[in-house]
Amino acid sequence: MNEQTQERGADAERRVVVVGAGMAGVQTAVALREQGFTGTVTLIGAEPHQPYDRPPLSKAVLLGTAEGSAFDVDFEALGIELRLGCEALRLRPGAHVLDTSAGPLPYDVLVVATGAEPVRLPGAEGVPGVHLLRTLDDAERLRPVLARQHDIVVVGAGWIGAEFATAAREAGCAVTVVEAAGRPLAGALPAEVAAPMTAWYADAGAELRTHARVERVEPGHVVLDDGSRLPAGAVVVGIGARPATAWLAGSGVELGAHGEILADDRLRTSVPDVHAVGDCASFPSGRYGERLLVHHWDNALQGPRTVAADIVGAATGETPAVYDPVPYFWSEQFGRFVQYAGHHTAADTTLWRGDPSGAAWTVCWLRDERLIALLAVGRPRDLAQGRRLIEAGARMDPRLLADPARPLKAATA
């Protein structure tokens, strides 16, 4: 028996259980098969639906232009066992057992891909007409609300709030967005970059109220802390999300300040034979010199390849490359396509390409004259070229970079 056959034989005995049937979980299961893993792969999901993609929920599914967003994956053909409507309850790493709502499930390797859950608005639980937008069921509940063209109050002017407000205006609803901070996207972008986006709301016919805190929600109204009463046939809460990791309490899996799993640079947790990927996990970035917690689709697409390579490599003795991506996400809001790549917090220079009051512009962040992040509004070519320049650690000429007529790749020093 040659070495390769022995490896395949050892693989065939191994059981991988993936917890979470969103993008990160599905892609991990698929990547295992693509990379030649021959053992059993079980994918468990708490929701009863076929695994689906989330970005369309705030767009096509919500507006009724698509029935659903199920992944185009033939799980049966790939030999992936799906267990849906099955919730993870507890992890017992010493016994290599995952306790679920359907009973205990033994594993040799466990991958945690439970994602994030929305932060709820205090005092709004159980009030009729209050909605979140995270799951397919949420989108299905909101679709008739939009169809009836209710007055809608959106709490939170982050990415999801802006995307929902966009869809609600398209559906003909009157929309008021209330934001506790002084500007939209306060937790994501510097004040000077978010400032031009404030006008987008009014341009789309939505009212944005900043420095506005919700005192309470009553049936049919939202009451703000200044005493204002806003009519609300429905209230949609988009005030952030936190890693869905409460079920790991007492497991020994090390968590960070926000409840995120502290994974290493190959997405392994502090507990042997347990990996973590996607919205529920942070990882150390050598590129940025800090730990990153990335709640975006692209991270859930890229990370699974590293996890699969590490699991497959355990049998072959191969060590995968470290996980150190250039974070990327996009958002469609108020008729604009917004894209972001990189991580800007350590920048020492901010440069603008184009007029931020116009339809298309880009912000570039540099550190030591190297491009480390950019935000592109209606300039997809800037984003595509910039992402590659960030990956390459390219040194830029600030004077050339500030010229919006010059391609980004022609602005290197």
Side-chain angles (χ1 to χ4, degrees), residues 75-119:
F75 295 101
E76 194 176 346
L78 289 170
I80 296 167
E81 182 194 0
L82 272 184
R83 297 194 185 183
L84 302 175
C86 180
E87 192 177 350
L89 302 177
R90 188 165 66 117
L91 176 61
R92 291 184 280 144
H96 275 62
V97 168
L98 173 72
D99 289 321
T100 78
S101 55
L105 191 57
Y107 67 86
D108 294 305
V109 180
L110 185 80
V111 181
V112 181
T114 43
E117 54 200 5
V119 176

Side-chain angles (χ1 to χ4, degrees), residues 36-398:
F37 182 77
T38 56
T40 62
V41 178
T42 303
L43 178 64
I44 79 167
E47 293 181 55
H49 309 290
Q50 279 291 305
Y52 61 87
D53 203 5
R54 289 189 192 280
L57 297 184
S58 61
K59 305 173 185 75
V61 175
L62 192 59
L63 290 169
T65 55
E67 279 307 308
S69 56
F71 290 115
D72 185 17
V73 174
D74 190 336
F75 295 101
E76 194 176 346
L78 289 170
I80 296 167
E81 182 194 0
L82 272 184
R83 297 194 185 183
L84 302 175
C86 180
E87 192 177 350
L89 302 177
R90 188 165 66 117
L91 176 61
R92 291 184 280 144
H96 275 62
V97 168
L98 173 72
D99 289 321
T100 78
S101 55
L105 191 57
Y107 67 86
D108 294 305
V109 180
L110 185 80
V111 181
V112 181
T114 43
E117 54 200 5
V119 176
R120 295 174 184 274
L121 185 65
E125 253 121 319
V127 178
V130 177
H131 299 263
L132 299 166
L133 181 51
R134 185 76 187 180
T135 68
L136 183 58
D137 288 340
D138 293 337
E140 294 291 356
R141 280 190 287 268
L142 276 164
R143 193 192 289 188
V145 172
L146 265 58
R148 288 195 294 268
Q149 298 187 332
H150 277 298
D151 287 344
I152 292 178
V153 172
V154 180
V155 183
W159 300 112
I160 194 71
E163 289 180 6
F164 178 80
T166 300
R169 285 299 299 137
E170 280 182 39
C173 301
V175 178
T176 303
V177 181
V178 298
E179 169 57 53
R183 62 184 189 275
L185 295 166
L189 296 173
E192 71 272 20
V193 177
M197 299 174 175
T198 303
W200 298 357
Y201 288 78
D203 291 348
E207 183 184 357
L208 173 64
R209 298 185 62 154
T210 56
H211 300 292
R213 292 187 178 276
V214 174
E215 182 73 30
R216 65 185 181 278
V217 180
E218 303 169 348
H221 286 90
V222 171
V223 181
L224 302 182
D225 61 357
D226 65 359
S228 306
R229 286 169 61 83
L230 307 177
V235 179
V236 177
V237 179
I239 54 175
R242 61 166 66 96
T245 56
W247 64 278
L248 289 168
S251 67
V253 172
E254 192 180 351
L255 304 180
H258 305 288
E260 76 280 13
I261 297 168
L262 299 176
D264 70 7
D265 58 9
R266 291 180 179 84
L267 301 179
R268 296 175 291 208
T269 74
S270 58
V271 166
D273 303 320
V274 179
H275 293 71
V277 65
D279 289 7
C280 65
S282 67
F283 57 90
S285 169
R287 186 191 313 278
Y288 292 106
E290 61 181 286
R291 183 169 279 278
L292 300 183
L293 175 60
V294 180
H295 278 198
H296 293 297
W297 186 90
D298 192 65
N299 178 51
L301 178 68
Q302 306 288 348
R305 295 169 195 157
T306 296
V307 172
D310 198 59
I311 293 169
V312 172
T316 62
E318 291 176 36
T319 304
V322 300
Y323 187 60
D324 196 7
V326 172
Y328 166 74
F329 70 89
W330 80 97
S331 177
E332 294 176 72
Q333 49 184 272
F334 308 118
R336 292 164 174 84
F337 188 42
V338 183
Q339 295 171 285
Y340 178 96
H343 183 65
H344 66 266
T345 54
D348 54 34
T349 305
T350 304
L351 280 175
W352 294 75
R353 289 166 57 79
D355 179 0
S357 66
W361 46 274
T362 297
V363 179
C364 298
W365 286 275
L366 307 179
R367 185 177 65 220
D368 300 329
E369 295 194 343
R370 297 185 190 280
L371 188 64
I372 61 168
L374 82 161
L375 176 99
V377 176
R379 291 181 66 99
R381 187 173 296 170
D382 274 7
L383 189 288
Q385 293 180 7
R387 196 174 179 183
R388 288 193 289 271
L389 292 166
I390 294 168
E391 282 172 353
R395 191 176 291 278
M396 311 300 293
D397 181 325

Side-chain angles (χ1 to χ4, degrees), residues 23-40:
M23 171 62 85
V26 167
Q27 290 299 324
T28 299
V30 170
L32 281 165
R33 292 301 188 223
E34 285 178 347
Q35 295 185 29
F37 182 77
T38 56
T40 62

